[in-house]
Amino acid sequence: MRGVFSGPLRALGIRLIAPPPPPGERLADGYLEELDRLAGEHGPLLVGGISFGAHLSAEWAARNPGRCTGLLAALPAWNGPAGRAPASLAARLSADLVAENGVDGALAKSSDGVPEWLSAELGRAWRRHGAGLAASLRTAASHPAPALEDLKGLDVPAGIGACVDDPIHPVEVARAWADALPRAEVGESTLTALGADRESLGRATVLAWLKAR
């Protein structure tokens, strides 16, 4: 989150708050409760996230329209129940690898054929997450994303970020979210750009939000 969004938000004078992930099965409920707490402390929030974080931010925003001023959703992976969405299947497979091989063993298997920058990001994130990683991955894989019908009721400016060459987070999902939301734009980039510059995805998402305003 910090690597992608800190710079683009700082340029607009917006402070980023990026709480650490609640461990294990508390990943989804814990983040939603944290957003409740932050809204109580700071007032209405511009919320956002990447992949599963985008799902949770949109879910919270749809439930709390009076406490949300906007949405930054980068790389949404599906809408409604996960079904056989590629990101859900990938998270389930990763959870099995972690449970069977430990974090280092799972990283070794997961890094084969993966771009070096993505392997480094996985290694950093997975090692920092702690003992609940497998349970967290399974929670992310099974938790429903907002349904398109729910997004239709979220009347706040929304920037939806997509990488057009990402098969795990299809650009068609981002476009469907933007079509459902009353005030949304899609900002497109590529995984190649993201590998060279993490802020490229943040800039695309924030620019889409500014256009939606």
Side-chain angles (χ1 to χ4, degrees):
M1 277 295 292
R2 291 187 181 93
V4 168
F5 280 112
S6 287
L9 291 176
R10 189 185 311 114
L12 298 175
I14 299 172
R15 181 168 67 98
L16 174 67
I17 301 173
E25 295 177 356
R26 290 283 301 154
L27 181 67
D29 291 342
Y31 262 137
L32 294 171
E33 290 169 7
E34 178 66 7
L35 288 172
D36 284 338
R37 187 191 69 79
L38 289 170
E41 179 179 345
H42 299 283
L45 302 174
L46 168 62
V47 295
I50 303 167
S51 189
F52 186 56
H55 294 189
L56 293 179
S57 297
E59 177 180 344
W60 183 86
R63 291 181 183 178
N64 297 273
R67 297 197 287 172
C68 178
T69 62
L71 174 67
L72 299 172
L75 306 183
W78 64 82
N79 50 271
R84 297 188 61 81
S88 176
L89 296 175
R92 293 178 192 275
L93 176 60
S94 296
D96 291 342
L97 286 174
V98 170
E100 294 168 5
N101 302 277
V103 172
D104 288 335
L107 285 168
K109 292 178 181 292
S110 299
S111 298
D112 187 27
V114 171
E116 185 176 346
W117 71 267
L118 181 54
S119 178
E121 288 288 343
L122 283 175
R124 179 190 58 78
W126 284 13
R127 288 190 177 99
R128 289 179 60 186
H129 194 79
L133 176 60
S136 292
L137 288 166
R138 291 194 176 100
T139 297
S142 61
H143 191 82
L148 295 181
E149 192 64 31
D150 294 329
L151 296 178
K152 290 179 181 179
L154 181 57
D155 190 15
V156 298
I160 315 298
C163 289
V164 297
D165 54 351
D166 184 351
I168 302 297
H169 306 89
V171 65
E172 291 80 9
V173 174
R175 292 168 181 165
W177 278 41
D179 287 343
L181 288 157
R183 300 164 59 193
E185 296 286 342
V186 176
E188 296 182 358
S189 186
T190 66
L191 289 178
T192 301
L194 181 60
D197 175 12
R198 303 295 184 272
E199 290 185 0
S200 61
L201 177 60
R203 289 193 297 272
T205 308
V206 171
L207 180 59
W209 173 67
L210 290 172
K211 290 180 179 178
R213 297 179 71 197

